[in-house]
Amino acid sequence: MILPPGSTIGILGGGQLGRMLAIAAAQLGYRSHIYAPEASGPATEVSAEWTKAGYDDADALARFAQAVGVVTYEFENVPPAALDRLETLVPIRPGKRSLEISRVREREKSLVRDLGGRTAPFRAVQSLDELRDAFAEIGTPSILKTSSLGYDGKGQVRLHDASGLESAWEAVRGAPCVLEGFVSFDAEFSVLLCRAESGETAVWDTPENVHTHGILDTSTVPARAAVLAQAEEAIALARRVADALDHIGLLTCEFFACSDGPVFNEMAPRVHNSGHWTIEGAVTSQFENHIRAVCGLPMGATARTGARIEMHNLIGEDANSWAAILADPTAKLHLYGKHVRPGRKMGHVTRIF
């Protein structure tokens, strides 16, 4: 399927990723129609249309599908029932299977393990008794993570001894979870891969990522030697994952660089915070190539545009430093139009060296 410029792309979710997808789409001559339960969001200011409706509103979903030529999404926690309705009316790219796997931690880890990748030791848990059994097997330190709806460190509780099991279970409110063992690693990195319907893939340089309080702080390319030595193996695994899912569009796989090779952490079937550097730092950004792939267009080159590139997230009050950031003529500032709130991703700044 080729969707020509001038057509309308439907985007589920109206956050900053939807905003940057809509900007990339507009540069290629497409209109964007956002569907989200909220009345506004970062994508509001740059999209042609906005449908405010719940994901359980069958009539609104049908009207949305009729108004667009393809549907994509900016986050993976779209209710499955909404996708079931949409896919009978309009192509969804990436497809529903990518969401079904990536939105549940044990599914994505099991898929990666079946494809020959390594993960941290893990056990699915759905009760306090199962948590006790899993903890006895995996040991300490370990981390309890909700199976779905967790991001930026949310829905996670660290466990250092058995005395914390009951309070941890209460903290996740009895939601289905995964207990994971800790992994000793030298660095964190991600693979950004865009796959076309033909199976062709475009891959960017592997960014090394640093997190603070569970939120991405910086992404840097090129990564250090510890990451570069493992990037090829990680990219090969990401390709196998994309092929297994018949994925169309951007797929992000996050890894730990360990002493004995890469260990898979998690995936996102969408554009990703660790790829924001590609807007100025690559010939074609992750956002543009995602739009190209879901519309059936040829993908663009991914070579980086500088010797070294660093993307830094602006969290909460960091966004109020915009004047100081703009005083640096080499800084490329992106603000998402949000109200400042502690711990909230307000924007990012990219520097090319």
Side-chain angles (χ1 to χ4, degrees):
M1 181 197 81
I2 297 177
L3 188 69
S7 305
T8 300
I9 299 169
I11 301 174
L12 300 176
Q16 64 263 20
L17 297 179
R19 178 188 183 98
M20 288 179 273
L21 282 170
I23 291 171
Q27 290 173 334
L28 293 173
Y30 292 93
R31 293 163 52 86
S32 292
H33 184 156
I34 306 295
Y35 189 105
E38 300 81 20
S40 63
T44 306
E45 301 159 356
V46 298
S47 57
E49 297 178 74
W50 182 290
T51 292
K52 176 190 179 298
Y55 292 113
D56 59 350
D57 188 331
D59 290 339
L61 287 169
R63 291 192 297 271
F64 171 70
Q66 292 165 2
V68 303
V70 68
V71 169
T72 190
Y73 42 85
E74 65 139 25
F75 74 121
E76 52 267 50
N77 292 317
V78 181
L83 298 172
D84 291 341
R85 293 189 181 101
L86 286 171
E87 73 172 355
T88 65
L89 302 170
V90 64
I92 302 174
R93 295 184 167 181
K96 190 172 69 172
R97 178 163 164 75
S98 293
L99 282 175
E100 290 172 339
I101 296 296
S102 64
R103 73 193 305 270
V104 181
R105 294 186 193 276
E106 58 265 35
R107 291 179 189 169
E108 65 179 12
K109 291 179 183 296
S110 296
L111 173 65
V112 166
R113 186 178 56 191
D114 292 345
L115 292 172
R118 293 194 306 150
T119 71
F122 71 95
R123 281 275 305 274
V125 295
Q126 299 194 47
S127 69
L128 180 56
D129 285 341
E130 288 187 3
L131 175 58
R132 291 191 179 105
D133 292 342
F135 185 79
E137 177 183 330
I138 291 175
T140 185
S142 53
I143 185 165
L144 183 67
K145 300 180 178 180
T146 54
S147 291
S148 59
L149 301 177
Y151 63 97
D152 290 344
K154 296 177 175 66
Q156 302 185 11
V157 183
R158 296 195 178 196
L159 295 169
H160 298 284
D161 56 63
S163 66
L165 293 180
E166 289 189 18
S167 60
W169 190 245
E170 291 175 1
V172 299
R173 300 180 180 180
C177 288
V178 168
L179 184 70
E180 294 181 14
F182 268 55
V183 172
S184 178
F185 59 88
D186 298 315
E188 296 177 84
F189 67 96
S190 51
V191 171
L192 304 161
L193 178 149
C194 195
R195 184 179 183 273
E197 186 175 16
S198 66
E200 174 194 359
T201 58
V203 180
W204 287 262
D205 284 4
T206 300
E208 181 174 345
N209 304 320
V210 175
H211 291 80
T212 302
H213 305 303
I215 301 176
L216 181 65
D217 184 27
T218 61
S219 291
T220 305
V221 290
R224 290 177 295 160
V227 171
L228 294 177
Q230 300 182 15
E232 185 175 344
E233 182 178 348
I235 290 168
L237 175 60
R239 283 198 174 101
R240 295 199 298 275
V241 171
D243 288 342
L245 297 174
D246 196 20
H247 190 86
I248 300 173
L250 212 295
L251 175 69
T252 307
C253 293
E254 297 183 75
F255 292 88
F256 300 115
C258 302
S259 59
D260 54 350
V263 172
F264 172 87
N265 180 29
E266 60 186 17
M267 73 175 75
R270 53 168 171 79
V271 291
H272 193 263
N273 196 173
S274 66
H276 289 358
W277 65 270
T278 63
I279 297 174
E280 291 87 19
V283 175
T284 311
S285 75
Q286 64 164 346
F287 300 99
E288 181 179 335
N289 262 346
H290 181 81
I291 295 297
R292 285 174 177 240
V294 302
C295 292
L297 307 181
M299 286 187 288
T302 58
R304 69 176 188 266
T305 58
R308 179 172 171 269
I309 300 154
E310 180 178 293
M311 186 283 301
H312 175 65
N313 265 334
L314 301 175
I315 309 297
E317 295 290 341
D318 292 349
N320 292 332
S321 300
W322 57 266
I325 293 169
L326 290 175
D328 175 0
T330 68
K332 306 298 289 187
L333 176 64
H334 297 256
L335 294 176
Y336 306 148
K338 297 178 175 180
H339 296 296
V340 173
R341 191 170 68 206
R344 195 180 199 189
K345 291 178 180 175
M346 301 297 303
H348 71 270
V349 58
T350 302
R351 291 180 172 85
I352 301 174
F353 303 94

